[in-house]
Amino acid sequence: MNTEVTSSDATNLSSSPVGSFKDLGLAEPLLKAIEDAGYTTPTPIQAKAIPLVLKGGDLLAGAQTGTGKTAGFTLPILHLLSQKPAENPAKGKPRCLILTPTRELAAQIAESVVTYGKHLDLKSMVVFGGVSINPQINRLGRFLDILVATPGRLLDLANQGKVDLSGIEILVLDEADRMLDMGFIHDIKKILARLPKKRQNLLFSATFADEIKRLADSLLDNPGFVEVARRNTASEMVEQAVHMVPQAHKRDLVAYLIKENDWQQVLIFTRTKHGANRLTEKLVKSDISAMAIHGNKSQGARTRALAEFKAGQTRVLVATDIAARGLDIDQLPQVVNFELPNVPEDYVHRIGRTGRAGASGAAISLVDREELKYLKDIEKLIKREIPKVQIVGFAAPTKIEPEPPRLLRGQQPNGGQGQKKKQGQNDRRPQGGSKAPEQGKQRSFGNQPNKPSGSRKPNNKQHSQASQSTANMSEAARHQAQPQQPIYAADLNVPRRPRGNSGGGRTNGGGNAGGNSTRSSGNRGNGSGNRGR
């Protein structure tokens, strides 16, 4: 397959006149839906991509976020499918597949399909992970024309035989660069292997890198090429600025800027999930309504937070880069980079949430001195220097709110470490006369006499020495220096419970013991194999 494009082949959108949607050759029901949505003039990417897709050939399109590229492929796909009936229709057998990297983007594309196709007799649905698969399986039991999906959940459904991809006529890879960044290339290859060889392929990407070029070479056949702006550039409609501020003062500065400038709708990006939660808590304490959205949130919580933010019920949405792609928020005026991203391209996608579809917007980045290297990489990518603006009127706090210690894996917020789980493990006993080491001693389980509960006295001198020796240790080191928890019931002086079935030994490396509850078996069965599920 050939995707070589010379400068003369590429479409120069800046010099091409943009007419109306009626000039693009779309069906009347689509024009009516566009009018109902309040649109009259296509964006540059729509004006050039739609005619190319309607011709039935492959397309490689590069457009920065916020240019309307979703409608650039949704509208012509709806037109093509409405003009040609399915050859061999069957339940769970879509004709068009649209792959996206994130759940939020998948939901928004599915919403666009419904909006533009409301006057057509075409059925569509969206599938993604993070929610129950059963309703999706039930919906796939009906006739279907357009399927919007994330790669992981689609593969799950395909492997279970719930979706038939052999009838795909049009394949769309949206935000292809992001899918590769998130490691979906292997899933994409598995999905491509299930598709018919003869189909129309559309690849949309906000940025172009070598990986995208290789994917295009293997996927597209003599494609048309459309590029809206210079690759990897930020929108010229976004006013960018940098505030130099120490990391410890950033949360206070954000609260100050929101109140001082009376921002009513602000999207703030943090580098980590923990940082998103901490900033949200700070803003709420400052009487600023805020919600966080990141990978640890359930799909329901993420959908609810986004809906309330769009509706103006929540003033601030704090997000990690999972939300940097595809979020379409009308007239979003302000984006704040609480921390600069490690990857320069992510900066372009972050600030691309504002200044969309010709509207103006502003993006402010809070930069600590340790982040200057990230700032230089970003300025090199976008080929411009971002002005550094002095903050007037902000008084740095004299008392810095301490950072709480990060919890170790399995550690509980109250300071324990999975104590409920360990208490359950204390009831585990070995067979017969097996021995277990405890603090360097070999203790025989079967011959251990019962001691009164008060027979053990703490050694205060040893305890005092241990406290002094761990005073200067880090949180993690102190945790590791703690005495090892007893393993067996005998070590805790807990009387042994009678075994319900003396002949029923342990199975599966610590599962049921002679008919005990299956819950314990499920949690501990097969050694460590089931613990990660």
Side-chain angles (χ1 to χ4, degrees):
M1 295 186 181
N2 180 22
T3 60
E4 290 297 326
V5 180
T6 64
S7 57
S8 60
D9 296 327
T11 305
N12 187 350
L13 300 185
S14 60
S15 61
S16 300
V18 178
S20 66
F21 283 104
K22 294 181 179 179
D23 301 330
L24 301 180
L26 295 172
E28 190 61 34
L30 291 173
L31 295 176
K32 188 175 186 305
I34 294 171
E35 184 179 358
D36 293 343
Y39 299 116
T40 56
T41 304
T43 64
I45 186 68
Q46 295 166 0
K48 293 302 177 182
I50 290 176
L52 293 176
V53 177
L54 289 178
K55 291 179 180 179
D58 289 358
L59 176 66
L60 175 61
Q64 58 194 29
T65 56
T67 55
K69 56 187 173 64
T70 299
F73 62 79
T74 300
L75 289 170
I77 287 174
L78 289 168
H79 176 93
L80 292 174
L81 296 181
S82 65
Q83 300 298 309
K84 177 185 175 183
E87 295 181 357
N88 298 305
K91 295 179 179 179
K93 186 179 180 181
R95 302 170 61 192
C96 173
L97 173 63
I98 304 175
L99 287 178
T100 70
T102 66
R103 310 168 191 173
E104 286 75 19
L105 182 54
Q108 290 182 168
I109 293 176
E111 183 180 348
S112 295
V113 171
V114 172
T115 298
Y116 297 129
K118 63 181 182 179
H119 299 303
L120 297 174
D121 188 21
L122 296 175
K123 307 298 181 183
S124 64
M125 71 169 293
V126 59
V127 296
F128 47 71
V131 296
S132 174
I133 198 173
N134 293 327
Q136 298 173 0
I137 292 176
N138 293 337
R139 177 64 184 84
L140 286 169
R142 310 172 194 172
F143 289 97
L144 180 65
D145 294 290
I146 301 174
L147 177 62
V148 185
T150 54
R153 177 52 61 92
L154 179 62
L155 270 182
D156 289 343
L157 292 166
N159 290 334
Q160 296 182 39
K162 304 302 181 181
V163 60
D164 181 3
L165 302 178
S166 64
I168 296 298
E169 302 171 18
I170 305 173
L171 169 68
V172 180
L173 295 184
D174 191 28
E175 299 285 4
D177 51 346
R178 187 61 169 172
M179 280 196 279
L180 298 189
D181 291 341
M182 296 174 68
F184 284 134
I185 183 61
H186 298 296
D187 288 346
I188 292 174
K189 289 181 178 179
K190 292 177 182 178
I191 293 171
L192 293 178
R194 295 174 176 267
L195 305 182
K197 297 298 182 182
K198 185 179 180 180
R199 62 179 187 271
Q200 184 178 9
N201 302 293
L202 312 177
L203 192 152
F204 286 78
S205 180
T207 59
F208 287 141
D210 294 338
E211 293 82 359
I212 293 296
K213 186 63 168 61
R214 287 193 290 268
L215 177 61
D217 287 339
S218 63
L219 179 66
L220 307 177
D221 183 12
N222 194 25
F225 179 75
V226 176
E227 188 173 22
V228 169
R230 189 175 79 246
R231 65 186 62 182
N232 302 333
T233 59
S235 172
E236 295 180 359
M237 302 300 295
V238 180
E239 181 183 354
Q240 304 174 60
V242 165
H243 294 324
M244 297 300 301
V245 57
Q247 184 71 26
H249 296 166
K250 286 186 177 182
R251 282 190 291 270
D252 294 280
L253 178 58
V254 168
Y256 170 82
L257 290 174
I258 293 174
K259 291 184 175 180
E260 180 69 17
N261 298 304
D262 194 26
W263 291 338
Q264 295 301 315
Q265 193 177 37
V266 191
L267 178 59
I268 304 178
F269 286 104
T270 65
R271 195 182 302 148
T272 66
K273 304 168 189 175
H274 174 71
N277 292 336
R278 289 276 290 154
L279 178 57
T280 302
E281 293 171 2
K282 168 65 178 178
L283 295 176
V284 171
K285 288 180 181 178
S286 302
D287 295 327
I288 300 172
S289 60
M291 298 185 74
I293 176 174
H294 52 68
N296 282 357
K297 299 286 185 179
S298 68
Q299 184 58 39
R302 289 160 61 172
T303 303
R304 183 170 60 255
L306 183 58
E308 292 184 7
F309 182 67
K310 285 184 174 182
Q313 300 172 6
T314 299
R315 192 172 178 181
V316 180
L317 184 66
V318 185
T320 55
D321 284 309
I322 191 172
R325 297 291 189 98
L327 287 187
D328 189 8
I329 303 168
D330 286 339
Q331 306 298 318
L332 177 65
Q334 189 69 49
V335 167
V336 175
N337 288 305
F338 184 79
E339 294 149 328
L340 291 180
N342 299 349
V343 180
E345 287 81 3
D346 285 344
Y347 174 84
V348 176
H349 306 307
R350 284 184 178 188
I351 71 171
R353 299 308 99 208
T354 185
R356 299 172 71 87
S360 60
I364 290 176
S365 299
L366 309 184
V367 181
D368 182 82
R369 290 192 176 276
E370 294 184 358
E371 298 177 282
L372 284 175
K373 58 182 180 297
Y374 299 140
L375 179 61
K376 291 180 180 179
D377 291 340
I378 291 170
E379 292 176 334
K380 181 180 179 181
L381 176 73
I382 64 177
K383 293 179 172 59
R384 59 177 291 189
E385 183 178 353
I386 305 174
K388 297 179 177 63
V389 179
Q390 195 73 22
I391 306 168
V392 179
F394 172 68
T398 56
K399 183 179 180 182
I400 305 300
E401 184 178 354
E403 291 279 350
R406 297 293 298 274
L407 298 180
L408 301 174
R409 185 180 296 245
Q411 190 173 354
Q412 303 299 321
N414 61 4
Q417 184 171 5
Q419 291 181 1
K420 290 184 179 181
K421 182 178 179 180
K422 284 188 176 294
Q423 184 63 37
Q425 291 176 346
N426 289 337
D427 295 336
R428 296 168 60 185
R429 292 172 296 168
Q431 296 277 353
S434 62
K435 299 181 180 181
E438 195 266 351
Q439 299 290 342
K441 298 180 182 180
Q442 293 292 335
R443 189 181 290 244
S444 175
F445 179 80
N447 300 324
Q448 181 66 25
N450 282 335
K451 295 182 181 180
S453 60
S455 61
R456 292 188 177 182
K457 297 181 180 180
N459 190 328
N460 294 330
K461 183 177 180 180
Q462 292 180 356
H463 177 73
S464 176
Q465 292 175 350
S467 300
Q468 294 176 2
S469 64
T470 60
N472 297 324
M473 290 184 180
S474 66
E475 186 70 21
R478 284 198 301 271
H479 166 71
Q480 301 219 356
Q482 293 299 316
Q484 186 177 358
Q485 291 287 340
I487 299 177
Y488 302 119
D491 296 331
L492 295 175
N493 299 316
V494 177
R496 283 182 280 176
R497 295 177 297 178
R499 190 185 294 268
N501 182 1
S502 60
R506 291 187 183 275
T507 61
N508 295 333
N512 291 354
N516 288 343
S517 69
T518 56
R519 182 183 298 273
S520 297
S521 174
N523 289 342
R524 302 191 189 111
N526 296 325
S528 62
N530 287 346
R531 290 178 186 150
R533 292 180 184 265

